[in-house]
Amino acid sequence: AQKVTQAQTEISVVEKEDVTLDCVYETRDTTYYLFWYKQPPSGELVFLIRRNSFDEQNEISGRYSWNFQKSTSSFNFTITASQVVDSAVYFCAACSGGGADGLTFGKGTHLIIQP
Amino acid sequence: DAGVIQSPRHEVTEMGQEVTLRCKPISGHNSLFWYRQTMMRGLELLIYFNNNVPIDDSGMPEDRFSAKMPNASFSTLKIQPSEPRDSAVYFCASSPPVGGSYNEQFFGPGTRLTVL
């Protein structure tokens, strides 16, 4: 079983600021996967990224970047030069190895980008 | 390509009534998941199927909840009798066969259930 903690309930920043969303996970599995999903006001869940426990390389996709550190059990998400369209609830999630297991989600961080 | 299809999108019912939520996974996917989202508990896994067989139903809250997957293209989540605390958004997700690494789960748009 996994546990995912997103300590930041809500973050509000002004447009163009950088913002980092924190995610801390707990697991006893040696093989596991970590995810970030975005839930805009319309309500759908949008997949952003998946990382497996053997790949600690950071990843950058446009304005988005992810920092995975096994030493601190963290998988943080940074948005550079934030935009109003980034306003959403962001969820971090985890699952164990095996490939067809359900996801354990954190409580989510509500990100508000003010114009 | 059609994504995961859920119906109805919105359901309003009265306490004590039976509610049936439906899900059509993406063609070719062999894993199906039901999640529930509430303000209090967040997103939680209720049950998931692999090749139409229930694998883990430990997240199903009570005996009032039941789920079936009679074939690879259809699943139902039934609540009988419904209670106001069942009000939530119910998401269905599917994923393709495992091919050496974890596969992404594709989520449907959700069904917003309100029990009065």
Side-chain angles (χ1 to χ4, degrees), chain B residues 32 34 47 49 54 60 65-70 75-78:
Chain B
L32 184 140
W34 283 101
I47 185 172
F49 298 82
M60 296 285 264
F65 285 70
S66 63
K68 294 182 179 180
M69 192 164 186
S75 177
T76 60
L77 178 67
K78 184 179 294 186

Side-chain angles (χ1 to χ4, degrees), chain A residues 35-100:
Chain A
F35 305 78
W36 277 94
Y37 282 84
K38 174 182 180 179
Q39 188 173 44
S42 51
E44 72 270 25
L45 284 162
V46 179
F47 168 81
L48 295 178
I49 191 172
R50 175 186 68 241
R51 259 293 178 263
N52 71 52
S53 51
F54 300 108
D55 184 1
E56 283 194 77
Q57 286 187 349
N58 293 330
E59 182 157 337
I60 298 174
S61 176
R63 297 183 297 106
Y64 294 173
S65 62
W66 291 268
N67 182 276
F68 176 27
Q69 291 194 341
K70 292 179 74 172
S71 61
T72 56
S73 298
S74 64
F75 186 42
N76 296 337
F77 172 32
T78 297
I79 301 176
T80 303
S82 60
Q83 300 176 1
V84 173
V85 293
D86 296 326
S87 297
V89 180
Y90 291 86
F91 291 96
C92 183
C95 78
S96 62

Side-chain angles (χ1 to χ4, degrees), chain A residues 5-24:
Chain A
T5 302
Q6 295 180 255
Q8 304 150 308
T9 304
E10 183 174 289
I11 299 175
S12 180
V13 300
V14 177
E15 197 173 20
K16 298 184 182 178
E17 288 185 11
D18 299 347
V19 58
T20 296
L21 310 182
D22 298 333
C23 173
V24 174

